[in-house]
Amino acid sequence: MGIWHAYDFYYPNPSLTSTSPPLTFHWLESASGRVWRQLGDTNGSNAFFLTNDLNAVIHECTNGLWKLYLNRGDPSEQLYQFAMSITDVTPEVFGDVTILFPVNQSTEVTATPTFTWTGPDNLPSIFVSASYGDGGGNSYSVDLPGSTTQWTLPGPLTPGPNTLFVQYLSNNFSGITLSTPTNALGVALSDWVGAGDVYSYKFSNFIVGSDTGGDSELADAVDQPTGIWTTGGDAAWFRQTDETYDGTDAAQSGDIDHGEVSWIETTVEGPGVLSFWWNVSSDDSDSYDYLEFTVNGDSETEISGDWGWDYYEINLPAGTHTLRWTYNKDDDFTAGADAAWLDEVQFLPEIELHMSLNIERTSNPLNPGFLAFPSFNFIQPAPLTSHEIVSPNNTFSAYQGSDGEEYITSSVQSTLAELITALEAGDWTIYINRGHPSERQYTFHVTVDALELSDLPEANITSPTEGQTGVAPDHVFTWTGPTNYDVLYLYSYLPGTNTPSGGYTNLASDVMISAMPNPLAPGTNALYLNYTRNDFSGVSLSDPEDASFQPLTDWQAQVNLASGQTRRFVVGAAEPPATPVQILNPWHTGTNFSFSLITQAGRTHTVQSRTNLSTAPWVNVTNFIGNGDTMQLFLPNSDTPEAYYRVSTQ
């Protein structure tokens, strides 16, 4: 069992090996089932329990018995269980790895650099590797003592994008122990070896630059710094800032005479979509001067005359493709600026998307109803602008930005029937790089075949009651809820900062009473109770297609059901009552209505709307817990000609 640390997050990553191949496959999973490893079929795993809270990882590993299935699905299947203990595993054990050279996103690095770094002084071993970006170039690796802080490559790196990986590790770490697995009869598993490992690592991505054949100025000019760009002919292309598409810079053809050429070139690895902006100002008489684009030496298209900036896009199949833009002059006339330009070259590899649609019944006293949350489980490529999943009428959405920002939104529906109507209202849209010239759109449908209210039993926290004061730090919580769901999760926290107060716990779905692992902090607290049922078959998602009926390269989707409730209470004396908030800076932006408010720490703010001020009922739009900061809200416009909003604070 390994616990890994990188940047600001931790995660558990179990491993599983066997001296003989399984008949079907072996399966290892934590008590909650959130972390697992398979051996013998796909050898896959779920190691994506990422969190910046090391205690949450430790809790996931130690809260309950791990399960080990041998030859799962075969008549000879056996189930064993074991416990994991983790002590003296703190952030100080992992330390932090810092790569000093080359720093991330460095360019023009030599082909035989000496790498330098610093890291924790208590982990005894280091593994270091350096390799070309797509795996097709030179690759080197070495195991070093934990006191080492530099490494000189034994040979040259391949020009272009490369990655340095520095990993500190300690095998058989004494603070992680695993008991011997036993079956239901108490018989121990023979030939068992269980050990815990600790890892801390960091990556650095860099470019082996112009001294090995690439031109970094050209790469910057066409906004493709990870590519290797070369230029030639009778005059070289160059970077300039006078004629651009993006307002920053662009590459321009060299100054050539009649009968001469100037070209710029790079290579990409397909399959994927290539896009670029190009421009030419030239003679377009009988034999004419022109800018030509070729792939692997074959002409794709050309432009000539006073063309202006134009967008071009092409699908490239699997394999290596040499891309060249050539400005050609004939033997006669000259016209216009007698030059060509290239800007914003982008190559998007094939698109892979794994998503979940989580349908939840919330029994919160302040805003009960039904919600749906789409979420990205995996998306490739990374966003240049943003990737988004948007339901019909913008009722539910997921967002992943190029700056690392991620969020999901959902409008509470009063009844299950209203939720189903919203889910099936029309096309769901997947935006890949929304707003960018290379934007791709795919649509799919959600079909509800069999979803009844009985599939979403209500969850209800019976102790403490909503707003109860004087709750003890060691309070024993009680609740009711579905007993046939897969996972039951409790989380107690301080609403203003979402800081854990008491911690987390995963329980069997038939449990209805529990204290938290740690004492509750004084002041306003919240308890979140959530039941989850995975892979619900009564709701299905169609395969997404673009306008040309082309599917995604790889698409996986699953639907999960959840039933939850949040209860707010005070550990100790009651707090002062809430005060009204002021709505600030209301305005329209695109398809949204926006306004700001100064939130109140620990207080629940519920946004409500109505279509007129006299007879229409107020409808809950969304709610959230304030933290004392100013928050800006973006609310989807409705089809009605007018809408009024207010904020209720409790």
Side-chain angles (χ1 to χ4, degrees):
M1 177 67 195
I3 298 181
W4 296 63
H5 167 60
Y7 303 91
D8 64 345
F9 58 83
Y10 302 85
Y11 61 94
N13 187 8
S15 61
L16 187 62
T17 60
S18 176
T19 56
S20 59
L23 299 174
T24 53
F25 61 88
H26 301 330
W27 181 275
L28 173 68
E29 67 176 33
S30 62
S32 72
R34 299 179 67 180
V35 179
W36 54 265
R37 168 71 70 176
Q38 191 217 56
L39 173 66
D41 184 5
T42 64
N43 293 322
S45 69
N46 178 22
F48 296 105
F49 184 76
L50 301 180
T51 173
N52 56 14
D53 184 356
L54 176 59
N55 289 328
V57 173
I58 295 174
H59 182 74
E60 175 66 25
C61 293
T62 59
N63 185 40
L65 296 177
W66 285 69
K67 298 177 183 178
L68 174 61
Y69 295 87
L70 302 182
N71 296 313
R72 193 166 190 179
D74 188 80
S76 63
E77 174 185 309
Q78 299 180 68
L79 170 61
Y80 290 84
Q81 293 183 304
F82 65 92
M84 187 181 305
S85 175
I86 300 178
T87 58
D88 299 324
V89 176
T90 64
E92 291 72 26
V93 169
F94 296 89
D96 286 299
V97 179
T98 302
I99 296 177
L100 302 177
F101 180 81
V103 297
N104 194 42
Q105 303 302 323
S106 293
T107 60
E108 301 190 34
V109 176
T110 64
T112 55
T114 296
F115 301 119
T116 59
W117 63 84
T118 62
D121 56 10
N122 60 309
L123 299 182
S125 302
I126 302 175
F127 172 77
V128 187
S129 69
S131 58
Y132 185 66
D134 66 359
N138 293 336
S139 177
Y140 308 93
S141 63
V142 65
D143 293 304
L144 299 169
S147 58
T148 310
T149 58
Q150 66 178 33
W151 175 45
T152 301
L153 285 177
L157 290 168
T158 302
N162 284 261
T163 298
L164 173 66
F165 175 62
V166 180
Q167 173 186 269
Y168 284 72
L169 63 149
S170 176
N171 294 322
N172 297 315
F173 186 74
S174 60
I176 304 175
T177 57
L178 285 66
S179 67
T180 301
T182 57
N183 62 18
L185 300 177
V187 178
L189 177 65
S190 61
D191 299 324
W192 160 261
V193 177
D197 307 322
V198 170
Y199 302 86
S200 186
Y201 66 90
K202 191 69 68 70
F203 289 96
S204 177
N205 298 307
F206 59 95
I207 304 295
V208 175
S210 57
D211 61 328
T212 58
D215 189 319
S216 59
E217 279 207 355
L218 283 181
D220 290 339
V222 298
D223 307 298
Q224 254 285 338
T226 60
I228 299 300
W229 289 84
T230 56
T231 180
D234 297 293
W237 285 59
F238 60 94
R239 175 184 175 273
Q240 52 79 51
T241 58
D242 294 329
E243 179 65 36
T244 74
Y245 173 75
D246 60 11
T248 303
D249 56 7
Q252 179 177 321
S253 59
D255 184 12
I256 56 176
D257 206 345
H258 296 300
E260 294 183 340
V261 299
S262 175
W263 55 260
I264 183 174
E265 182 178 279
T266 191
T267 60
V268 297
E269 192 71 21
V273 177
L274 174 77
S275 64
F276 55 87
W277 288 88
W278 61 346
N279 185 11
V280 68
S281 177
S282 70
D283 164 38
D284 62 353
S285 60
D286 289 342
S287 53
Y288 68 91
D289 304 337
Y290 60 95
L291 173 60
E292 181 183 31
F293 171 59
T294 61
V295 179
N296 299 326
D298 297 326
S299 180
E300 289 292 334
T301 186
E302 62 183 52
I303 57 176
S304 67
D306 189 13
W307 193 266
W309 285 104
D310 195 19
Y311 178 75
Y312 189 80
E313 181 178 290
I314 183 174
N315 289 292
L316 298 175
T320 302
H321 303 285
T322 300
L323 314 174
R324 177 176 285 195
W325 293 260
T326 305
Y327 183 52
N328 300 266
K329 282 185 63 63
D330 64 12
D331 294 330
D332 295 312
F333 305 106
T334 295
D338 197 24
W341 300 271
L342 182 66
D343 204 356
E344 287 205 351
V345 179
Q346 298 289 345
F347 179 70
L348 294 179
E350 290 189 339
I351 301 167
E352 302 177 35
L353 173 57
H354 303 173
M355 70 161 286
S356 295
L357 178 61
N358 302 300
I359 299 173
E360 180 174 349
R361 179 178 186 175
T362 173
S363 305
N364 292 342
L366 301 179
N367 196 14
F370 299 84
L371 308 98
F373 297 101
S375 62
F376 292 98
N377 296 338
F378 173 80
I379 179 71
Q380 177 66 36
L384 299 171
T385 52
S386 66
H387 300 330
E388 300 178 37
I389 304 172
V390 181
S391 74
N393 305 318
N394 293 311
T395 309
F396 321 111
S397 67
Y399 174 95
Q400 184 179 101
S402 60
D403 58 357
E405 182 180 10
E406 297 185 34
Y407 58 81
I408 54 179
T409 63
S410 179
S411 295
V412 178
Q413 308 298 300
S414 299
T415 66
L416 180 59
E418 291 177 1
L419 178 76
I420 293 174
T421 298
L423 291 172
E424 298 184 319
D427 288 343
W428 286 64
T429 304
I430 300 170
Y431 296 92
I432 305 297
N433 290 318
R434 190 170 190 177
H436 191 271
S438 63
E439 174 185 306
R440 318 295 294 182
Q441 291 187 23
Y442 296 82
T443 59
F444 65 92
H445 287 83
V446 174
T447 302
V448 180
D449 298 311
L451 178 60
E452 306 292 339
L453 196 60
S454 58
D455 295 315
L456 290 161
E458 186 177 31
N460 181 46
I461 298 170
T462 54
S463 177
T465 57
E466 182 69 17
Q468 182 176 331
T469 61
V471 175
D474 59 351
H475 184 81
V476 177
F477 299 96
T478 60
W479 62 87
T480 59
T483 58
N484 61 339
Y485 273 37
D486 300 315
V487 178
L488 170 58
Y489 173 72
L490 290 179
Y491 172 43
S492 58
Y493 60 97
L494 301 179
T497 61
N498 204 30
T499 302
S501 170
Y504 313 74
T505 186
N506 295 287
L507 302 167
S509 61
D510 58 353
V511 173
M512 294 185 292
I513 182 170
S514 178
M516 301 308 293
N518 303 303
L520 301 169
T524 299
N525 280 244
L527 176 71
Y528 176 58
L529 167 71
N530 178 272
Y531 289 84
T532 301
R533 178 180 175 183
N534 297 319
D535 294 323
F536 179 68
S537 61
V539 179
S540 60
L541 280 63
S542 66
D543 294 338
E545 294 179 337
D546 65 13
S548 301
F549 305 104
Q550 296 298 310
L552 294 168
T553 307
D554 180 36
W555 160 256
Q556 296 181 29
Q558 73 174 47
V559 177
N560 306 317
L561 301 185
S563 182
Q565 186 179 66
T566 299
R567 182 73 77 203
R568 296 161 190 83
F569 54 93
V570 178
V571 176
E575 295 183 336
T579 58
V581 300
Q582 183 178 1
I583 294 177
L584 306 171
N585 304 319
W587 62 302
H588 282 90
T589 171
T591 60
N592 295 316
F593 174 71
S594 172
F595 64 87
S596 302
L597 71 154
I598 300 175
T599 66
Q600 297 175 27
R603 297 295 182 180
T604 298
H605 301 288
T606 302
V607 180
Q608 299 176 313
S609 70
R610 66 193 304 184
T611 55
N612 64 68
L613 290 177
S614 58
T615 60
W618 287 101
V619 177
N620 292 337
V621 176
T622 187
N623 66 76
F624 56 93
I625 305 297
N627 61 5
D629 294 335
T630 300
M631 174 178 287
Q632 185 175 10
L633 299 176
F634 293 88
L635 305 172
N637 283 343
S638 64
D639 295 329
T640 55
E642 60 184 5
Y644 300 87
Y645 291 88
R646 72 179 184 184
V647 180
S648 172
T649 302
Q650 296 185 349

